[in-house]
Amino acid sequence: MTLLGKNYVEGHHLIPLSIQDEFNYSLDVPQNIVSLCPNCHRKIHKAPKSQKKAMIEKLYRSREKGLIKRGIVTTQEQIESFYFN
């Protein structure tokens, strides 16, 4: 999306801050924040399960090593459970 000819993105926490209590380390770190266009940001919150799963898989693969370096150890399946429960 562009706004007056400039790109526009929104920050999204891959692992939602609402489940911070399940982790020993802060989830509000750059390794857990992804930049999404507004359409993709809505999609990860509102899309059908199959589309969300595909997005989560791609985002998790791109962030897994960085999350581990910050002490945030999780799996793709665990992250999916935060979106589908």
Side-chain angles (χ1 to χ4, degrees):
M1 172 178 229
T2 60
L3 183 62
L4 300 174
K6 298 186 182 213
N7 288 331
Y8 176 76
V9 295
E10 299 172 347
H12 174 76
H13 289 87
L14 179 59
I15 304 170
L17 294 180
S18 62
I19 52 90
Q20 174 62 68
D21 292 345
E22 296 186 30
F23 291 87
N24 295 326
Y25 297 96
S26 175
L27 296 176
D28 198 16
V29 294
Q31 293 80 359
N32 188 40
I33 302 171
V34 294
S35 297
L36 299 174
C37 77
N39 290 334
C40 288
H41 198 186
R42 281 189 298 280
K43 183 177 177 180
I44 201 161
H45 286 288
K46 310 269 184 200
K49 187 174 182 176
S50 62
Q51 290 180 6
K52 282 185 186 182
K53 281 182 74 114
M55 290 180 75
I56 292 166
E57 178 183 2
K58 183 176 181 177
L59 294 171
Y60 176 69
R61 279 189 287 162
S62 72
R63 296 298 175 132
E64 181 180 17
K65 290 178 184 174
L67 289 169
I68 291 170
K69 286 181 183 178
R70 292 301 292 235
I72 303 169
V73 180
T74 188
T75 64
Q76 178 182 328
E77 291 77 18
Q78 184 181 26
I79 293 173
E80 288 173 3
S81 75
F82 303 142
Y83 287 80
F84 304 130
N85 292 333

